[in-house]
Amino acid sequence: MNRIDQRFSQLKAAARTGLIPFVTAGDPDPATMVPLLHALVTAGADLIELGMPFSDPMADGPVIQRANERALARKIGLTQVLDMVRAFRNEDARTPVVLMGYLNPIEIRGVEHFIDEAAAAGVDGILLVDCPLDDATLCAQMQARDLHLIRLLAPTSTTTRAHDLAARAAGFLYFVSITGVTGAARADAAAIASQVLSLRRHAQLPVAVGFGVKDAAGALAIADFADAVVIGSALVERLQGGGDAADVCARARDFLAPIRAALDARKAA
Amino acid sequence: MKPQRKSEPEIDFNAYPDAAGRFGDYGGVYVAETLIAPLAELSATYLKLRDDPAFQAELAHDLKHYVGRPSPIYHAERLSREVGGARILLKREDLNHTGAHKINNTVGQAMVAKHMGKTRIIAETGAGQHGVASATVAARLGLECVVYMGETDIARQAINVFRMKLLGATVVPVSSGSKTLKDALNEALRDWVTNVRDTFYIIGTVAGPHPYPMMVRDFNAVVGREARAQMLDEYGRLPDVLTACVGGGSNAIGLFHAFLNDRDVRIVGAEAAGEGLATGHHAASLAAGRPGVLHGNRTYVLCDDDGQITETHSISAGLDYPGVGPEHAFLKDAGRAEYVGVTDVEAMHAFHLLARSEGILAALESAHAVAQAIKLARELPRDALVLCNLSGRGDKDVHTIAQREGIAL
């Protein structure tokens, strides 16, 4: 059974809201990356979303753009991303890892080859911003390796489209809370609540909400109607500037732990 | 032209793209989910307008009275004589309002924007010609206009930046990545994702997600339709070869499209070979790139083995782009068009030769096409006809040229 499914059923059983931090692989520093991933788990991450650096991240705001640029300047490509996952897996066999990125690096490496490598490294899901719904080959190959292709939904998605996506999705659905790029405006929980609730009823898959969630208050507002909350830019911003492993990990924990505590203090949706 | 083997079924090039926006293996819709529904809406609206006689009549009226179409075909006699080969004919898109072919597309897209009730126009620009053409149509329709432009391009195209401002547009400098056209496109896409409900994105080339490669081609295809009729009318036959510069490829597909099913007409696209294809400092996606996914479509891209898009180089800002329109990728693979590199040095030489022999200052982009026309003319007999798209005028480039040649203005 895929770790993502296991994790979401545990969350459901415990009536907890999932917390999904996002970090860009190799940022702030490749050397502190694996300790950072473990620190995220210690601070309460239920699932880790790991960004695969790309030169042209067209759905990302300035914070994650810069993180991509820093990682690329340190020569972090797919090989290094998979190395990080493998190293993380050596000590953590339970926390699901979802890779997030864009299609071109995977296309150039070879889709089939990459899926095999990712599965072998201990990846559980892949989220591709610019991957169209109709890429049947990719879906079939991922299914064969028990990898989940995580689908994004947006406030502009039509009901028909949402149902199509839900029908083909696995693991969880990622609802983009705003029309915008990552880390932009603050998510307006009230505006999307009904869309997310109707999606959860229809899809019978957990729904995570991300983009524009910056702190405990934002996470709590989302937790009223979602299964999990994704926090990316605000965390990446906190980590930029780097430092030694202890320092980077402490900053990650200081940021994430209060959000975890706030989510645990409320009754899950 | 190679004889077509009878056993091979002939491709009808007018049948592309298919309903999913694909040109064979290329094109499609590779964008963030937020843009899927707006793009579907745009496709539906555009397809309806394309078949609407009232829309087409309004467009034809504007192209005639505002843009100044038809543009003439000019026989560059002194240039041809100096080159010593085939006759070189120039399709004078430089004579359009705003000085380039770009206005054909922006006039059309602005009409689509108006039909969709959008109040705000955004655009990306490299050389600034598309930015100027977008600011122009926005001014005419009273729409707000924001143009994204890389910092590098702002520095080398100062005149066009000022023109855009005079037309009431806001020019937003883009400082990410290579600070050129591709980054301006990224930033425009980010704006569109954010403001998609009231904003119309006028993409300036035949790239981007479907329906843009089709829509931009359709609006520029007036160039080839006109040229084909003018050739038959004025020369009694079709040209032997067509050539045009290819960055994103909008002026090239504009000229080529009406001739694609004329199998006897050879088609050659001139990409920016910069300092030479072997140096790696170029922008020749078709001649030296590989299939990948960039800016919403599958096409040939310039990238490294990790799939990271590489920085490009060309003396001409309008060709400085690491992707290319998916229809060109399709034409290359189908063997219908050839794509070759023209270096900065060759383009500069052609620029000067055209200026001195014909009294025409070509845009540096178009100078690549002229350079290719010169090469082709040399190889062909005197009675052959080479039709070259002179896609824009060179006033915007005089500072770049002066600087390159060490002249203080």
Side-chain angles (χ1 to χ4, degrees):
Chain A
M1 192 185 190
N2 187 297
R3 286 183 198 93
I4 298 171
D5 303 326
Q6 285 175 5
R7 180 53 47 96
F8 274 104
S9 53
Q10 287 162 0
L11 286 168
K12 192 173 182 185
R16 293 174 84 213
T17 302
L19 178 58
I20 307 178
F22 167 94
V23 286
T24 300
D27 184 69
D29 185 347
T32 59
M33 204 61 211
V34 176
L36 170 62
L37 297 179
H38 291 303
L40 294 173
V41 175
T42 311
D46 294 298
L47 186 154
I48 289 173
E49 194 186 339
L50 187 62
M52 301 178 277
F54 182 49
S55 53
D56 293 76
M58 63 183 184
D60 284 301
V63 169
I64 293 176
Q65 284 173 48
R66 301 290 172 262
N68 276 275
E69 287 173 13
R70 287 191 295 269
L72 289 174
R74 293 166 183 266
K75 307 277 178 228
I76 302 303
L78 294 180
T79 303
Q80 291 73 27
V81 174
L82 293 175
D83 285 346
M84 289 169 193
V85 176
R86 216 173 283 117
F88 173 73
R89 273 283 165 262
N90 281 340
E91 291 171 48
D92 187 327
R94 291 167 47 198
T95 309
V97 173
V98 171
L99 299 182
M100 177 271 181
Y102 297 80
L103 201 48
N104 198 58
I106 291 173
E107 286 266 330
I108 297 300
R109 197 173 179 92
V111 171
E112 202 165 342
H113 177 56
F114 178 73
I115 288 169
D116 285 348
E117 287 180 298
V123 171
D124 305 289
I126 301 179
L127 187 165
L128 294 170
V129 174
D130 53 356
C131 176
L133 178 61
D134 56 10
D135 203 329
T137 330
L138 183 64
C139 299
Q141 282 165 358
M142 289 188 58
Q143 227 161 16
R145 299 303 310 259
D146 195 26
L147 276 181
H148 290 336
L149 183 60
I150 308 302
R151 297 292 192 176
L152 290 153
L153 279 113
T156 54
S157 303
T158 61
T159 310
T160 319
R161 169 91 181 166
H163 291 179
D164 275 1
L165 282 164
R168 301 183 205 200
F172 64 96
L173 289 164
Y174 186 133
F175 191 89
V176 174
S177 67
I178 49 166
T179 55
V181 292
T182 53
R186 229 164 235 285
D188 181 357
I192 54 166
S194 66
Q195 240 177 318
V196 173
L197 286 170
S198 109
L199 184 63
R200 284 175 74 192
R201 276 194 301 274
H202 179 86
Q204 299 175 335
L205 270 180
V207 177
V209 173
F211 282 41
V213 185
K214 296 177 189 301
D215 48 28
L220 281 173
I222 299 291
D224 281 340
F225 53 85
D227 298 285
V229 181
V230 185
I231 300 191
S233 297
L235 171 60
V236 170
E237 193 163 27
R238 192 62 64 97
L239 300 178
Q240 69 192 17
D244 61 24
D247 180 39
V248 169
C249 293
R251 269 186 280 156
R253 277 193 302 268
D254 290 350
F255 175 79
L256 212 58
I259 300 171
R260 172 83 272 166
L263 288 175
D264 288 347
R266 68 175 291 286
K267 196 174 172 295
Chain B
M1 185 74 201
K2 278 174 243 151
Q4 187 87 23
R5 261 181 287 151
K6 287 275 185 287
S7 57
E8 288 175 17
E10 280 215 340
I11 298 174
D12 173 12
F13 289 101
N14 289 327
Y16 294 87
D18 65 16
R22 295 205 158 262
F23 300 87
D25 291 339
Y26 303 101
V29 181
Y30 294 83
V31 295
E33 175 63 22
T34 310
L35 295 178
I36 294 288
L39 284 166
E41 188 196 350
L42 175 60
S43 285
T45 306
Y46 172 64
L47 287 174
K48 211 168 67 204
L49 291 174
R50 191 166 75 165
D51 293 336
D52 177 354
F55 178 86
Q56 290 300 337
E58 191 185 341
L59 179 61
H61 179 273
D62 281 2
L63 289 177
K64 181 175 176 190
H65 297 277
Y66 189 67
V67 175
R69 304 208 69 89
S71 69
I73 288 181
Y74 169 70
H75 178 197
E77 281 191 70
R78 288 196 71 224
L79 174 67
S80 303
R81 208 159 41 232
E82 208 154 315
V83 168
R87 281 182 281 173
I88 298 173
L89 310 177
L90 303 175
K91 178 64 172 163
R92 297 292 307 274
E93 290 300 295
D94 60 319
L95 297 179
N96 293 337
H97 179 41
T98 72
H101 71 287
K102 293 288 188 190
I103 190 85
N104 301 322
N105 169 46
T106 60
V107 162
Q109 285 199 50
M111 281 174 56
V112 178
K114 199 175 66 177
H115 273 270
M116 296 179 80
K118 304 291 183 183
T119 55
R120 182 171 174 269
I121 296 287
I122 58 168
E124 85 296 337
T125 198
Q129 288 301 119
H130 175 60
V132 167
S134 297
T136 298
V137 296
R140 182 166 172 249
L141 296 179
L143 301 172
E144 184 192 349
C145 181
V146 175
V147 180
Y148 290 92
M149 190 168 183
E151 282 182 346
T152 305
D153 292 337
I154 286 180
R156 58 181 167 174
Q157 300 289 348
I159 294 175
N160 271 343
V161 174
F162 188 56
R163 286 170 80 194
M164 285 181 257
K165 289 178 180 168
L166 290 175
L167 291 162
T170 307
V171 179
V172 180
V174 177
S175 61
S176 56
S178 59
K179 307 175 175 57
T180 62
L181 181 55
K182 82 168 175 78
D183 310 287
L185 228 154
N186 287 333
E187 210 52 42
L189 281 166
R190 290 178 188 125
D191 180 314
W192 200 36
V193 155
T194 308
N195 302 299
V196 66
R197 290 184 173 97
D198 69 350
T199 296
F200 191 97
Y201 180 15
I202 301 188
I203 295 187
T205 192
V206 285
H210 179 67
Y212 283 100
M214 170 180 76
M215 183 168 65
V216 177
R217 173 200 71 194
D218 289 351
F219 288 136
N220 273 304
V222 65
V223 176
R225 279 200 307 275
E226 252 177 42
R228 200 173 179 283
Q230 287 166 322
M231 289 302 301
L232 292 173
D233 184 39
E234 296 166 24
Y235 294 84
R237 68 182 181 92
L238 297 180
D240 297 283
V241 194
L242 302 175
T243 191
C245 64
V246 179
S250 67
N251 92 81
I253 208 74
L255 177 65
F256 298 166
H257 195 257
F259 295 91
L260 290 177
N261 283 340
D262 296 316
R263 297 301 204 279
D264 292 336
V265 178
R266 189 179 158 198
I267 296 177
V268 184
E271 291 191 295
E275 293 166 9
L277 293 183
T279 66
H281 299 145
H282 60 77
S285 316
L286 290 164
R290 47 182 149 186
V293 174
L294 179 65
H295 293 148
N297 67 97
R298 183 183 298 279
T299 187
Y300 277 76
V301 299
L302 290 169
C303 67
D304 64 20
D305 291 340
D306 278 334
Q308 308 299 344
I309 304 302
T310 44
E311 294 195 4
T312 50
H313 167 83
S314 169
I315 188 175
S316 121
L319 303 182
D320 212 346
Y321 180 61
V324 65
E327 191 164 9
H328 288 292
F330 172 57
L331 295 177
K332 175 190 160 84
D333 283 10
R336 181 61 190 96
E338 306 150 54
Y339 295 89
V340 297
V342 169
T343 64
D344 290 350
V345 170
E346 290 170 326
M348 283 306 305
H349 176 74
F351 173 88
H352 285 302
L353 192 57
L354 183 69
R356 287 195 313 267
S357 63
E358 299 289 352
I360 298 172
L361 297 181
L364 285 177
E365 291 78 17
S366 318
H368 287 71
V370 175
Q372 188 57 37
I374 290 170
K375 286 188 198 178
L376 289 163
R378 282 204 182 107
E379 298 164 3
L380 292 167
R382 279 177 191 276
D383 60 349
L385 298 173
V386 176
L387 178 60
C388 168
N389 199 6
L390 196 71
S391 55
R393 68 178 184 223
D395 311 48
K396 69 184 174 62
D397 292 315
V398 294
H399 283 92
T400 304
I401 294 164
Q403 196 180 22
R404 181 179 170 92
E405 300 183 347
I407 298 159
L409 293 181

